[in-house]
Amino acid sequence: MTVRLRLHPADVGSGLTSQRVRDRLIEDLRKMGIVDERVLNAIRTVPRHQFVDEVLATRAYENNALPIGFGQTISQPYVVAKMTEALLQCAPRRVLEVGTGSGYQAAVLAALGVQVYTVERIGELLRTARKRFRGLGLQVRSKHDDGRIGWPEEAPFEGIIVTAAGPALVDALIDQLAVDGVLVAPVGPAANQSLLCLRKQADGGIEQHDLGAVVFVPLLSGMTD
Ligand code: SAH
């Protein structure tokens, strides 16, 4: 990991947020097939318990999605690990994330030394996520917008990660992907979503494979405060 997090005593954790409990999660992720040590190390280091409400902190190192308010969820650690591993294949310098939510996925990428650009449609979630980035000393660029338009001024991105499921892949995002770049996105209706991984080839063609079934909140249009 190239970035040193600014960790306060509360980030280090104790009891159910202690290093021992986090190490158990890492072992579970290994058993589930996550092999990239950089990803495992980032998940071990980023204090996931600081990305959920205090009353849920003791459940932060269970391998589950958890509610973050506004009907949204922080993704399951396994899914964060899987998506991060898929993105790192192309050694991205800059990654666009659609769906900041708690900020956890963005923090894991930033801890790996990636320059993250993240977009969230719910203003209140974004404000809370920004405080978390600042607290950990992470440089994350963010904007309050409908992420389906991407971030054209900053495109192309070597990696794009969408953390909410749309009915189909979003063309504007594929357009903003660099050649040899990787886009990871869940696609499909609530009961039947697949995690798709796309790679853009030099001739503009797209190579696509399916990383398996997932459950994400829906990709919605417009913005709210
Ligand atoms: N990556 C997040 C996962 C949050 S859940 C994390 O690590 O916590 C998905 C998020 O996508 C929600 O916060 C939701 O508000 C947001 N979202 C849904 N549709 C969106 C859109 N069109 N543009 C930006 N964000 C969107």
Side-chain angles (χ1 to χ4, degrees), residues 157-170:
F157 298 94
E158 289 111 34
I160 300 182
I161 177 169
V162 185
T163 66
L169 288 164
V170 179

Side-chain angles (χ1 to χ4, degrees), residues 36 38 84-92 182 197 199 209 211:
D36 192 321
R38 295 168 300 172
T84 307
E85 215 175 43
L87 272 179
L88 288 194
Q89 290 167 49
C90 66
V182 168
C197 181
R199 190 160 192 147
H209 60 279
L211 297 177

Side-chain angles (χ1 to χ4, degrees), residues 72 98 120-122 144-149 164-167 170 217-225:
Q72 308 303 318
V98 175
E120 171 57 54
R121 63 179 290 279
I122 301 177
H144 182 204
D145 209 340
D146 181 340
R148 294 176 315 156
I149 63 165
V170 179
V217 294
L219 188 68
L220 300 174
S221 57
M223 294 153 69
T224 78
D225 281 345

Side-chain angles (χ1 to χ4, degrees), residues 10 17 48-60 67 132:
T17 60
R48 189 170 184 261
H49 64 281
Q50 303 284 44
F51 289 79
V52 295
D53 193 272
E54 233 172 304
V55 297
L56 292 172
T58 55
R59 296 181 51 201
R132 292 172 176 144

